[in-house]
Amino acid sequence: MAKLWGGRFTKETDSLVHNFNASLGFDQKFYKQDIRGSIAHVTMLAKQGILTEQEKEQIIGGLQGILADIENGTLIFTEEHEDIHSFVEAHLTERIGEAGKKLHTGRSRNDQVALDMKLYIRDELDETDSLLKKLLEELLKTMKEHTGTYMPGFTHLQKAQPITLAHHFGAYFEMFKRDRGRLHDIRIRMNECPLGAGALAGTTYPLDREYTAQLLDFDRATGNSLDSVSDRDYLIEFLSAVSTIMMHLSRFCEEIILWNSNEYQFVEIDDSYSTGSSIMPQKKNPDIAELVRGKTGRVYGALTAILTTMKGLPLAYNKDMQEDKELTFDAIDTVKGCISLFTGMISSMKFHKETMEKSAKGGFTNATDAADYLVKHGVPFRDAHGIVGQLVLFCIEKNIALDDMTLEELKAVSPVFEEDIYEAISLKTCVEKRNTAGGPGTEAMQKVIAQQEAYLKNS
Ligand code: ARG
């Protein structure tokens, strides 16, 4: 029965298998790194006398020609090649003949792909870091301009205590600064060169792995050939770090969406970062902030996918590991795009200082300070807490703020209150006197701003 369609089926299966197996569609993304790695490899082979100087020159010339032609668009990636490694090697041999066939001496695609991916991630890590730095510069600019812009600080999304916009942005500065720190740590740990590990067990050629490592700006060669071809830890660490960046961006976006709403009106996102509604003419939607928040999920997805792919793999290389690429590439493009757009959005955003200040004045954000006033006059904190609770009840009934109560009304609840209570609970005092290190007070904030400025200069 199989004979009825056997011939045709076999052919079709072959092409299905080829397509299923192939990775050129996506690993072409690191053609630069692949060629860079090959140039380092043949340079080392020639130094070790495994290739002649002439063969080395021929191969490097051919590889540079391939690189140039890919970049000027004359060399196109065609489907018959399985992956970027076979693509480059086939074209090399076509261009320079016999010498091209020697490129792969003492190397396997397993250590080659491990190298390419590492080089690619290392480049992308550096780019992500410089985008984060730009974002931090933008945040610091806003912080400097808004040390006196009062706003309510929240816990449980309820007004809690007054802070400043500089202080609020300062919190995100710390987060993105930690993100840069994480990238930095990963870079140090991952910076070992896997080339020379071969398929899994090294090679009998006298390779100088340290030399190759040096040519490719690695700190050293990896220490175990099995691990070299099967390690994707750095990728997991990197995806975890970019997931954390997305989580931070997403939280910030959530706040901006709230602040931009009609209910808050703390900020106004620029027209260039907003979109309209097809039906409601009055709408100006914070789509960019929403999309950044939304895209966070897909970056987490990439991290979960690679963790799951790796969890059951025996040593050393397994084809499953080819799945490390597409979602990672997508995650990287997503994160880089989100950081850039977010930076543009906040640098063009308008802050409504008066609305923020008015909001800070409502909601009894100075209640803690009223209690602290009593404590400073000898009332135990727990009693002071109770007294101010009564004041708040009184104010809610009359629909007034604590500052609006007369001294008689205050004294009726506690005789400790004197005229200086008004100064003690004014918004200015509540914010500007909070000078605990890391607090929103003017002095504390200026110190932090100076430190962050120095950090940006030196990093
Ligand atoms: N395309 C493969 C990958 O991305 C390259 C390594 C192939 N190695 C092999 N033994 N088939 O993982």
Side-chain angles (χ1 to χ4, degrees):
M1 264 173 58
K3 280 204 169 73
L4 279 178
W5 44 267
R8 181 167 181 264
F9 184 79
T10 303
K11 195 149 190 267
E12 199 175 325
T13 305
D14 280 342
S15 78
L16 279 177
V17 168
H18 175 82
N19 292 341
F20 190 69
N21 194 46
S23 53
L24 183 63
F26 45 90
D27 63 18
Q28 56 179 260
K29 207 162 173 116
F30 49 56
Y31 69 89
K32 257 190 225 150
Q33 287 81 4
D34 191 77
I35 291 173
R36 185 178 175 205
S38 288
I39 291 176
H41 182 61
V42 294
T43 306
M44 180 276 293
L45 290 179
K47 179 178 95 66
Q48 297 302 95
I50 303 165
L51 290 185
T52 66
E53 277 301 308
Q54 196 197 355
E55 286 166 336
K56 176 188 98 177
E57 294 304 330
Q58 254 183 302
I59 294 175
I60 292 180
L63 288 170
Q64 281 165 343
I66 290 172
L67 179 65
D69 290 348
I70 292 174
E71 295 196 328
N72 67 29
T74 51
L75 183 55
I76 309 288
F77 298 107
T78 45
E79 272 184 11
E80 77 260 28
H81 301 286
E82 184 187 329
D83 52 29
I84 185 66
H85 325 297
S86 6
F87 173 87
V88 172
E89 195 176 320
H91 280 279
L92 183 68
T93 307
E94 197 183 295
R95 289 175 181 216
I96 67 166
E98 283 303 297
K101 296 185 193 162
K102 297 193 175 179
L103 165 66
H104 212 50
T105 312
R107 187 176 69 173
S108 152
R109 275 189 301 168
N110 296 351
D111 57 347
Q112 188 179 0
V113 78
L115 170 72
D116 291 2
M117 194 65 180
K118 249 192 184 178
L119 287 174
Y120 185 82
I121 295 296
R122 200 178 61 180
D123 290 344
E124 293 296 324
L125 187 148
D126 290 343
E127 245 187 74
T128 309
D129 182 65
S130 70
L131 290 174
L132 279 180
K133 187 172 177 187
K134 275 187 207 134
L135 169 58
L136 286 179
E137 281 161 357
E138 206 48 57
L139 291 181
L140 191 63
K141 217 164 99 197
T142 308
M143 286 163 69
K144 282 180 177 166
E145 280 164 20
H146 291 282
T147 50
T149 302
Y150 304 139
M151 64 176 284
F154 298 84
T155 63
H156 313 269
L157 205 53
Q158 313 251 12
K159 284 183 199 175
Q161 289 172 345
I163 55 168
T164 65
L165 186 62
H167 192 233
H168 199 107
F169 267 49
Y172 284 100
F173 192 105
E174 296 290 343
M175 295 182 225
F176 295 119
K177 184 177 170 184
R178 283 197 296 275
D179 287 328
R180 290 189 75 203
R182 263 183 282 277
L183 293 178
H184 183 78
D185 296 344
I186 295 167
R187 200 185 196 291
I188 293 173
R189 205 165 21 257
M190 74 177 281
N191 208 27
E192 298 184 341
C193 182
L195 204 62
L200 74 161
T203 167
T204 54
Y205 293 104
L207 305 186
D208 183 348
R209 294 195 55 214
E210 288 302 330
Y211 180 64
T212 320
Q214 208 184 313
L215 291 176
L216 294 167
D217 296 325
F218 284 103
D219 296 326
R220 66 192 76 83
T222 47
N224 178 292
S225 59
L226 282 175
D227 177 53
S228 310
V229 291
S230 62
D231 167 35
R232 296 295 182 270
D233 288 3
Y234 68 94
L235 210 54
I236 290 167
E237 288 189 43
F238 179 66
L239 286 173
S240 164
V242 294
S243 292
T244 309
I245 295 171
M246 288 303 295
M247 181 267 287
H248 291 152
L249 285 175
S250 185
R251 292 182 74 177
F252 210 162
C253 282
E254 167 64 14
E255 299 207 290
I256 288 169
I257 292 163
L258 282 173
W259 294 355
N260 186 65
S261 69
N262 203 36
E263 283 67 26
Y264 279 75
Q265 296 184 33
F266 284 6
V267 300
E268 190 178 338
I269 298 176
D270 194 69
D271 277 6
S272 56
Y273 286 88
S274 313
T275 51
S277 156
S278 60
I279 176 169
M280 298 164 282
Q282 85 283 12
K283 288 279 283 270
K284 204 175 107 177
N285 297 328
D287 287 30
I288 301 307
E290 290 172 297
L291 270 175
V292 172
R293 189 179 59 185
K295 283 176 190 292
T296 304
R298 83 196 245 183
V299 176
Y300 292 180
L303 172 63
T304 311
I306 178 82
L307 280 168
T308 313
T309 298
M310 294 304 292
K311 79 177 266 292
L313 297 188
L315 295 179
Y317 177 82
N318 298 270
K319 188 75 172 195
D320 314 44
M321 287 156 77
Q322 180 166 291
E323 285 297 309
D324 65 355
K325 295 178 191 62
E326 281 165 289
L327 291 176
T328 301
F329 295 156
D330 179 77
I332 292 171
D333 293 343
T334 303
V335 173
K336 287 196 310 187
C338 287
I339 302 174
S340 300
L341 276 160
F342 184 85
T343 306
M345 182 177 75
I346 59 159
S347 61
S348 56
M349 198 161 73
K350 266 200 220 75
F351 298 100
H352 294 150
K353 283 177 80 158
E354 298 74 29
T355 318
M356 287 188 196
E357 182 165 337
K358 202 169 146 219
S359 172
K361 276 186 180 148
F364 306 104
T365 57
N366 53 0
T368 316
D369 296 84
D372 288 343
Y373 172 91
L374 293 172
V375 171
K376 282 173 196 159
H377 290 78
V379 181
F381 181 77
R382 199 43 61 208
D383 295 340
H385 189 283
I387 292 167
V388 178
Q390 286 178 50
L391 300 182
V392 169
L393 264 183
F394 177 89
C395 289
I396 290 173
E397 231 159 73
K398 295 202 146 188
N399 194 23
I400 56 172
L402 285 175
D403 322 51
D404 301 327
M405 289 180 73
T406 65
L407 192 56
E408 289 86 75
E409 287 167 337
L410 288 166
K411 275 186 174 296
V413 185
S414 167
V416 179
F417 287 117
E418 295 299 339
E419 193 59 40
D420 60 353
I421 176 64
Y422 295 106
E423 229 247 273
I425 62 170
S426 79
L427 194 55
K428 196 172 158 62
T429 309
C430 290
V431 178
E432 294 185 3
K433 292 277 162 65
R434 280 195 145 70
N435 279 315
T436 337
T442 321
E443 251 171 63
M445 205 62 231
Q446 292 301 356
K447 245 185 227 159
V448 168
I449 286 175
Q451 282 163 1
Q452 306 295 37
E453 203 156 30
Y455 154 76
L456 282 179
K457 240 180 231 146
N458 303 320
S459 66

